[in-house]
Each structure stands twice: as C-alpha cells, then as structure tokens.
Amino acid sequence: MSKFNPADNIQDLQYFGEYGGVNPSITDSSTYTFLRAGTMEGVFEGEVEGCYLYSRHWNPTNRYLSMALAEMEGTESACVMASGMGAITSAILQLCNADDHIVTSRTIYGGTYAFFKNFAPKFGVNSTFVDTTNLEQVKAAITPETKVIYCETISNPMLEVSNITELSKIAKANNCKLVVDNTFSPMIFSPAKLGADVVVHSMTKFINGMSDCVAGTVCGSEEFINSMYDVNDGAAMLLGPVLDSFRSSSILKNLRTLHIRMKQHSYNAMHLATSLAKDGYRIIYPGLESHPQHETMKNMFNEEFGFGGLFVIDMQNSEKANALMEKMQDDNVGYLAVSLGSYKTLFSAPGGSTSSEIPEEERTEMGLSDGLVRISIGLDNNIERTYQAIKRHIEAVG
Ligand code: PLP
C-alpha cells in the first residue's frame, strides 16, 4: 500500500467545469430550483440526497473545495466555513452539549482560548487548560463529562508540537473526540491519519496563502460533517458561517500550489532559524534539535514538507521586540501584521496581540513573554539575503 500523501491526493482530483472548463464553474446562486414539490419536501425530511437546496446549506463550489480538503486530510468528508473561528466554534458546538467538558491545550490561538474560557461556559460547556505535550496532565484532567480533547498540531504562538498519536489513544480510551487545529501545518501533518477525529483549519493562513480572505474548514467522518448540516440541529446550518462561492473557488485554485509553498516556507524558516540560533539568539523552531518536541515531530510528520514556516525569536522585552519589527518593516523584510502563512513575511509580538486574550499570569506560566516575536516566513527567493537583513536589524536593536 502506498504511503498517504496529501499533495498526491489533491493532484489526483479531476473536476470538469460545467462547460468542460479546467476549473469547476462558480455557483452564483443562493437558492436552487426543484422540478417537483415533493422532492423539496424530501430534502427537508432527509429522505432525498444529492440535491442542492440553499447555499447556506451546500452549494457545488463549496462541495468541490470540501472534497479537495477531505483528500488533503485523508478524511471521509469536509466542509468549508467563512472563517477559522467559524469552523472551530461550529465543530465544538456540534460535539458538545450543556454540562460537557473539554480538555484543551493552554497554548492555542487567543480567539480559541477566549471561546473556551469565556463563551462556551455560557452554554454550560467548561474547559480545563493543560499542557497537552504532557500526556499525564491530559489524562489527569479528564472527567466523566469530558467530550473533547483539543489541541493545535503546532501551537500558536509557542510552536509546541502535540503528540497526536498518543492523544488519540487517550481520547479513544475515554470515549471522547480528539479535535486538532492543523492551521500551522497543512500537509506537514495529517492528524486524521494519526488518529484525530476532527481536523480544523483557518484557511485564512497557509491553505489560501494570499492574505486576501478569511475562511475555515472542518474535516471529519461523513456522519459528523452531515450532522453539522442537519436542517434541525446542525451547527453549520443553524449558525450560518457559510463561505461565499467566489472565495471557495479562489481557495481551491490556491490549494493546487500548497505543496510547493509549504516546502518553500519550511526551507526558508529552517534557514533563518538555524542561522540565527548559530548566532546565539534564542529561537523556537520545531526543526531545531533544541526544540523539546523535535523528535516527536520527526516521528509523526510528512517529512517532505518540512518543519513549518514559523519561528519565534526572543528579544527579551517588548521595547526590543517592537524596535526589531519596525526596522524589519521599514526595510521590507515583511509586514508588522497579525496572521500568518502568507507569501509575504508577517510578524507580530503575540503577547500584546493575538494572545492578549490569555491572562498575563497564564502567559508567564507557558513562557509567552512580551519579548517574543512570531515570524511567519514568506516565499522569499533568496533567503540568505533575508537572513542578512534580519541579522543586521537585530544587531542594531542591541
Ligand atoms: N486557529 C489558529 C491556529 C489561528 O492562528 C487562527 C487565527 O489566527 C484561527 C484558528 C482563527 O482563524 P480565522 O482568523 O480564520 O477565524
């Protein structure tokens, strides 16, 4: 049996557009006609399948992109959403009922953290935040009410790598679902193949890669994805985070180059992380042997796509972090902006921005200090030239 390869799977997908176009036609309709009234009734009653009804439910363009994402993640099915947060919140609200409990990694994207900490409790869903790289902590936090274990493959912003294989065993043993956010590492990790039940992404990042839209996806079993679109109790259907067809179509085209982009992002980040670490700076990057989960990652990843496009540099305090970012922007190394996974290098200091939702004492506990700069490396052609520029600016900051 040949080894699972997300890039080959996408390459093997063949769609013909309505008129034989090499890209599928874009659906420009919010609603769909039925030739017979009884067929429409059958769709609502769940007796008729395969008909399009209304674009918040499904439309052909979203279906094409979803099929490609399911191929990429090796899941039976997938759906697309208007944002990564739309994907995460819909998946969690579909899985959890009042009084259910979640065990989640404490180092996760700030918006997800805020959802678990402040929003989900309104519906009686409470979370325990643990270090998911410590499997004993995960086991100890599980209660009879635990429904979900949640983590990011490579976490935002500390770049901790979760051991998906072991976490999935814990989830199965305790009858809960392992939900993994794979935003930082599409193609690099195939969490479903390692045992995850549900895989989510912010497609705003690497998958689309162009910094021109916000989008998300949920990948999982056919049964789970179908449940999300149930007209009576499906989170995607009832909360309505639908992605516009024009965006779906452009993301599908960008997905076709994702494998090449991931390799270049990883190559560039490895070059910078290795060079700056050699210069004596404190760098967090899973590709470095000094990274605590370097070996874990090597045992789980799809090697040809590398260790990812993000690294963190510790500038010790926020003044130096800010000075470095401003110098790098002035010199067009990249942009001082949140988000990541773009063709262009993007950097921000997560302590004061994308992780500011996490209370200060918890940030201190996880090592997320105000001097950290998270850098998402772009598709620079000459990465040695970029390294020389960054080094010059770090030295100037002192
Ligand atoms: N997951 C991760 C790891 C993220 O970094 C982000 C956003 O930065 C999200 C989810 C949320 O995605 P979106 O901004 O597309 O809603």
Side-chain angles (χ1 to χ4, degrees), residues 290-307:
S290 59
H291 189 283
Q293 291 93 38
H294 177 68
E295 288 303 320
T296 307
M297 179 146 179
K298 275 173 54 183
N299 290 332
M300 289 191 310
F301 77 156
N302 299 319
E303 192 178 350
E304 66 178 299
F305 304 104
F307 288 91

PDB file of all heavy atoms in Angstrom, residues 290-307:
ATOM      1  N   SER A 290      17.200  21.551  19.403  1.00  0.00           N
ATOM      2  CA  SER A 290      16.979  22.091  20.747  1.00  0.00           C
ATOM      3  C   SER A 290      15.482  22.172  21.099  1.00  0.00           C
ATOM      4  O   SER A 290      15.126  22.361  22.254  1.00  0.00           O
ATOM      5  CB  SER A 290      17.572  23.505  20.829  1.00  0.00           C
ATOM      6  OG  SER A 290      16.944  24.332  19.860  1.00  0.00           O
ATOM      7  N   HIS A 291      14.608  22.042  20.107  1.00  0.00           N
ATOM      8  CA  HIS A 291      13.165  22.145  20.376  1.00  0.00           C
ATOM      9  C   HIS A 291      12.714  20.908  21.152  1.00  0.00           C
ATOM     10  O   HIS A 291      13.025  19.775  20.753  1.00  0.00           O
ATOM     11  CB  HIS A 291      12.396  22.265  19.057  1.00  0.00           C
ATOM     12  CG  HIS A 291      10.950  22.584  19.239  1.00  0.00           C
ATOM     13  ND1 HIS A 291      10.024  21.635  19.619  1.00  0.00           N
ATOM     14  CD2 HIS A 291      10.263  23.732  19.123  1.00  0.00           C
ATOM     15  CE1 HIS A 291       8.834  22.191  19.705  1.00  0.00           C
ATOM     16  NE2 HIS A 291       8.952  23.471  19.413  1.00  0.00           N
ATOM     17  N   PRO A 292      11.958  21.094  22.256  1.00  0.00           N
ATOM     18  CA  PRO A 292      11.612  19.936  23.098  1.00  0.00           C
ATOM     19  C   PRO A 292      10.831  18.832  22.384  1.00  0.00           C
ATOM     20  O   PRO A 292      10.906  17.678  22.781  1.00  0.00           O
ATOM     21  CB  PRO A 292      10.773  20.543  24.234  1.00  0.00           C
ATOM     22  CG  PRO A 292      10.746  22.017  24.026  1.00  0.00           C
ATOM     23  CD  PRO A 292      11.472  22.366  22.769  1.00  0.00           C
ATOM     24  N   GLN A 293      10.079  19.190  21.339  1.00  0.00           N
ATOM     25  CA  GLN A 293       9.316  18.135  20.645  1.00  0.00           C
ATOM     26  C   GLN A 293       9.869  17.842  19.238  1.00  0.00           C
ATOM     27  O   GLN A 293       9.154  17.356  18.365  1.00  0.00           O
ATOM     28  CB  GLN A 293       7.835  18.504  20.538  1.00  0.00           C
ATOM     29  CG  GLN A 293       7.082  18.504  21.848  1.00  0.00           C
ATOM     30  CD  GLN A 293       7.059  19.866  22.497  1.00  0.00           C
ATOM     31  OE1 GLN A 293       6.943  20.885  21.824  1.00  0.00           O
ATOM     32  NE2 GLN A 293       7.176  19.900  23.823  1.00  0.00           N
ATOM     33  N   HIS A 294      11.141  18.127  19.049  1.00  0.00           N
ATOM     34  CA  HIS A 294      11.752  17.881  17.726  1.00  0.00           C
ATOM     35  C   HIS A 294      11.613  16.402  17.326  1.00  0.00           C
ATOM     36  O   HIS A 294      11.198  16.093  16.207  1.00  0.00           O
ATOM     37  CB  HIS A 294      13.231  18.299  17.782  1.00  0.00           C
ATOM     38  CG  HIS A 294      13.983  18.039  16.522  1.00  0.00           C
ATOM     39  ND1 HIS A 294      13.731  18.730  15.352  1.00  0.00           N
ATOM     40  CD2 HIS A 294      14.980  17.156  16.231  1.00  0.00           C
ATOM     41  CE1 HIS A 294      14.549  18.288  14.401  1.00  0.00           C
ATOM     42  NE2 HIS A 294      15.309  17.340  14.914  1.00  0.00           N
ATOM     43  N   GLU A 295      11.925  15.508  18.256  1.00  0.00           N
ATOM     44  CA  GLU A 295      11.865  14.068  17.940  1.00  0.00           C
ATOM     45  C   GLU A 295      10.419  13.611  17.733  1.00  0.00           C
ATOM     46  O   GLU A 295      10.134  12.823  16.845  1.00  0.00           O
ATOM     47  CB  GLU A 295      12.526  13.237  19.049  1.00  0.00           C
ATOM     48  CG  GLU A 295      14.059  13.359  19.077  1.00  0.00           C
ATOM     49  CD  GLU A 295      14.730  12.979  17.762  1.00  0.00           C
ATOM     50  OE1 GLU A 295      14.297  12.001  17.122  1.00  0.00           O
ATOM     51  OE2 GLU A 295      15.682  13.687  17.348  1.00  0.00           O
ATOM     52  N   THR A 296       9.522  14.148  18.575  1.00  0.00           N
ATOM     53  CA  THR A 296       8.091  13.805  18.427  1.00  0.00           C
ATOM     54  C   THR A 296       7.635  14.164  17.025  1.00  0.00           C
ATOM     55  O   THR A 296       6.947  13.396  16.341  1.00  0.00           O
ATOM     56  CB  THR A 296       7.242  14.602  19.453  1.00  0.00           C
ATOM     57  OG1 THR A 296       7.784  14.399  20.736  1.00  0.00           O
ATOM     58  CG2 THR A 296       5.788  14.201  19.426  1.00  0.00           C
ATOM     59  N   MET A 297       8.027  15.358  16.585  1.00  0.00           N
ATOM     60  CA  MET A 297       7.596  15.813  15.252  1.00  0.00           C
ATOM     61  C   MET A 297       8.171  14.893  14.175  1.00  0.00           C
ATOM     62  O   MET A 297       7.464  14.518  13.232  1.00  0.00           O
ATOM     63  CB  MET A 297       8.032  17.259  15.034  1.00  0.00           C
ATOM     64  CG  MET A 297       7.643  17.781  13.667  1.00  0.00           C
ATOM     65  SD  MET A 297       7.217  19.503  13.669  1.00  0.00           S
ATOM     66  CE  MET A 297       6.858  19.754  11.937  1.00  0.00           C
ATOM     67  N   LYS A 298       9.454  14.533  14.336  1.00  0.00           N
ATOM     68  CA  LYS A 298      10.084  13.676  13.319  1.00  0.00           C
ATOM     69  C   LYS A 298       9.374  12.319  13.198  1.00  0.00           C
ATOM     70  O   LYS A 298       9.338  11.726  12.130  1.00  0.00           O
ATOM     71  CB  LYS A 298      11.564  13.467  13.660  1.00  0.00           C
ATOM     72  CG  LYS A 298      12.396  14.620  13.115  1.00  0.00           C
ATOM     73  CD  LYS A 298      13.836  14.615  13.514  1.00  0.00           C
ATOM     74  CE  LYS A 298      14.626  13.392  13.239  1.00  0.00           C
ATOM     75  NZ  LYS A 298      16.004  13.519  13.748  1.00  0.00           N
ATOM     76  N   ASN A 299       8.803  11.864  14.312  1.00  0.00           N
ATOM     77  CA  ASN A 299       8.102  10.571  14.268  1.00  0.00           C
ATOM     78  C   ASN A 299       6.723  10.656  13.625  1.00  0.00           C
ATOM     79  O   ASN A 299       6.126   9.642  13.302  1.00  0.00           O
ATOM     80  CB  ASN A 299       7.919  10.021  15.690  1.00  0.00           C
ATOM     81  CG  ASN A 299       9.237   9.586  16.273  1.00  0.00           C
ATOM     82  OD1 ASN A 299      10.135   9.206  15.526  1.00  0.00           O
ATOM     83  ND2 ASN A 299       9.374   9.671  17.582  1.00  0.00           N
ATOM     84  N   MET A 300       6.198  11.878  13.483  1.00  0.00           N
ATOM     85  CA  MET A 300       4.799  11.985  13.039  1.00  0.00           C
ATOM     86  C   MET A 300       4.597  12.699  11.703  1.00  0.00           C
ATOM     87  O   MET A 300       3.552  12.562  11.094  1.00  0.00           O
ATOM     88  CB  MET A 300       3.992  12.786  14.080  1.00  0.00           C
ATOM     89  CG  MET A 300       3.739  12.096  15.391  1.00  0.00           C
ATOM     90  SD  MET A 300       2.524  13.024  16.366  1.00  0.00           S
ATOM     91  CE  MET A 300       3.176  14.674  16.315  1.00  0.00           C
ATOM     92  N   PHE A 301       5.576  13.506  11.278  1.00  0.00           N
ATOM     93  CA  PHE A 301       5.259  14.419  10.166  1.00  0.00           C
ATOM     94  C   PHE A 301       5.487  13.790   8.788  1.00  0.00           C
ATOM     95  O   PHE A 301       6.092  12.726   8.665  1.00  0.00           O
ATOM     96  CB  PHE A 301       5.981  15.750  10.314  1.00  0.00           C
ATOM     97  CG  PHE A 301       7.455  15.794   9.965  1.00  0.00           C
ATOM     98  CD1 PHE A 301       8.038  17.002   9.586  1.00  0.00           C
ATOM     99  CD2 PHE A 301       8.268  14.676  10.027  1.00  0.00           C
ATOM    100  CE1 PHE A 301       9.390  17.082   9.273  1.00  0.00           C
ATOM    101  CE2 PHE A 301       9.613  14.750   9.715  1.00  0.00           C
ATOM    102  CZ  PHE A 301      10.158  15.960   9.327  1.00  0.00           C
ATOM    103  N   ASN A 302       4.948  14.461   7.769  1.00  0.00           N
ATOM    104  CA  ASN A 302       5.193  14.076   6.382  1.00  0.00           C
ATOM    105  C   ASN A 302       6.444  14.858   5.961  1.00  0.00           C
ATOM    106  O   ASN A 302       6.374  16.015   5.563  1.00  0.00           O
ATOM    107  CB  ASN A 302       3.997  14.446   5.500  1.00  0.00           C
ATOM    108  CG  ASN A 302       2.726  13.734   5.934  1.00  0.00           C
ATOM    109  OD1 ASN A 302       2.750  12.555   6.277  1.00  0.00           O
ATOM    110  ND2 ASN A 302       1.612  14.452   5.945  1.00  0.00           N
ATOM    111  N   GLU A 303       7.563  14.164   6.067  1.00  0.00           N
ATOM    112  CA  GLU A 303       8.876  14.804   6.069  1.00  0.00           C
ATOM    113  C   GLU A 303       9.125  15.767   4.909  1.00  0.00           C
ATOM    114  O   GLU A 303       9.735  16.827   5.088  1.00  0.00           O
ATOM    115  CB  GLU A 303       9.937  13.694   6.055  1.00  0.00           C
ATOM    116  CG  GLU A 303      11.325  14.188   6.336  1.00  0.00           C
ATOM    117  CD  GLU A 303      12.330  13.046   6.367  1.00  0.00           C
ATOM    118  OE1 GLU A 303      11.927  11.854   6.354  1.00  0.00           O
ATOM    119  OE2 GLU A 303      13.525  13.365   6.386  1.00  0.00           O
ATOM    120  N   GLU A 304       8.625  15.427   3.720  1.00  0.00           N
ATOM    121  CA  GLU A 304       8.994  16.234   2.549  1.00  0.00           C
ATOM    122  C   GLU A 304       8.498  17.682   2.644  1.00  0.00           C
ATOM    123  O   GLU A 304       9.000  18.556   1.944  1.00  0.00           O
ATOM    124  CB  GLU A 304       8.495  15.587   1.254  1.00  0.00           C
ATOM    125  CG  GLU A 304       6.995  15.546   1.123  1.00  0.00           C
ATOM    126  CD  GLU A 304       6.540  14.947  -0.203  1.00  0.00           C
ATOM    127  OE1 GLU A 304       6.876  15.510  -1.257  1.00  0.00           O
ATOM    128  OE2 GLU A 304       5.837  13.920  -0.170  1.00  0.00           O
ATOM    129  N   PHE A 305       7.539  17.936   3.551  1.00  0.00           N
ATOM    130  CA  PHE A 305       7.015  19.309   3.650  1.00  0.00           C
ATOM    131  C   PHE A 305       7.697  20.116   4.751  1.00  0.00           C
ATOM    132  O   PHE A 305       7.362  21.282   4.970  1.00  0.00           O
ATOM    133  CB  PHE A 305       5.493  19.283   3.845  1.00  0.00           C
ATOM    134  CG  PHE A 305       4.805  18.528   2.739  1.00  0.00           C
ATOM    135  CD1 PHE A 305       4.308  17.248   2.946  1.00  0.00           C
ATOM    136  CD2 PHE A 305       4.713  19.080   1.469  1.00  0.00           C
ATOM    137  CE1 PHE A 305       3.726  16.529   1.909  1.00  0.00           C
ATOM    138  CE2 PHE A 305       4.135  18.374   0.427  1.00  0.00           C
ATOM    139  CZ  PHE A 305       3.636  17.097   0.650  1.00  0.00           C
ATOM    140  N   GLY A 306       8.627  19.506   5.458  1.00  0.00           N
ATOM    141  CA  GLY A 306       9.467  20.238   6.405  1.00  0.00           C
ATOM    142  C   GLY A 306       8.812  20.523   7.749  1.00  0.00           C
ATOM    143  O   GLY A 306       7.771  19.958   8.100  1.00  0.00           O
ATOM    144  N   PHE A 307       9.454  21.417   8.500  1.00  0.00           N
ATOM    145  CA  PHE A 307       9.061  21.688   9.890  1.00  0.00           C
ATOM    146  C   PHE A 307       8.186  22.934  10.039  1.00  0.00           C
ATOM    147  O   PHE A 307       7.981  23.412  11.146  1.00  0.00           O
ATOM    148  CB  PHE A 307      10.311  21.816  10.766  1.00  0.00           C
ATOM    149  CG  PHE A 307      11.018  20.513  11.010  1.00  0.00           C
ATOM    150  CD1 PHE A 307      12.026  20.078  10.168  1.00  0.00           C
ATOM    151  CD2 PHE A 307      10.645  19.698  12.067  1.00  0.00           C
ATOM    152  CE1 PHE A 307      12.674  18.867  10.390  1.00  0.00           C
ATOM    153  CE2 PHE A 307      11.277  18.476  12.303  1.00  0.00           C
ATOM    154  CZ  PHE A 307      12.303  18.070  11.454  1.00  0.00           C
TER     155      PHE A 307
END
